[in-house]
Amino acid sequence: MGIFSRKSNDTPSNPEMAELGREYAIAKRHGDRKAMGRINRQIGTSGMSDSDRASFEQGREGYDSIPPIPRGRNRRK
């Protein structure tokens, strides 16, 4: 069992919303405001139920739990 072990029985009730949450977390980490706005509009047009919102949050937390890779030092002078 390692740091990045994803063994869990918590499967989202709506995998499509979980994937959308994962895409949102990726866009947020990379500073892609255009993609974040697109996903927010997509969520706003489709009424989210409580189970959809929970699936979305599971997708976000699944990606956010992975630590970012530290950038190397800039060696150019």
Side-chain angles (χ1 to χ4, degrees):
M1 184 162 169
I3 295 173
F4 300 111
S5 179
R6 293 189 177 211
K7 292 182 181 178
S8 65
N9 294 334
D10 297 337
T11 56
S13 61
N14 188 347
E16 185 177 306
M17 289 304 287
E19 184 61 30
L20 198 61
R22 182 174 167 82
E23 286 178 23
Y24 183 82
I26 291 169
K28 186 172 182 178
R29 182 176 287 185
H30 293 283
D32 189 357
R33 294 183 306 184
K34 186 177 180 181
M36 288 171 56
R38 177 185 52 82
I39 293 169
N40 282 333
R41 281 191 306 274
Q42 187 175 354
I43 289 172
T45 58
S46 65
M48 286 181 68
S49 65
D50 290 337
S51 62
D52 289 345
R53 187 168 303 281
S55 296
F56 183 82
E57 289 299 321
Q58 269 186 320
R60 275 185 63 188
E61 291 168 3
Y63 187 79
D64 286 339
S65 66
I66 301 171
I69 297 172
R71 292 185 175 225
R73 205 176 62 165
N74 189 356
R75 292 186 178 93
R76 284 187 259 152
K77 292 186 178 189

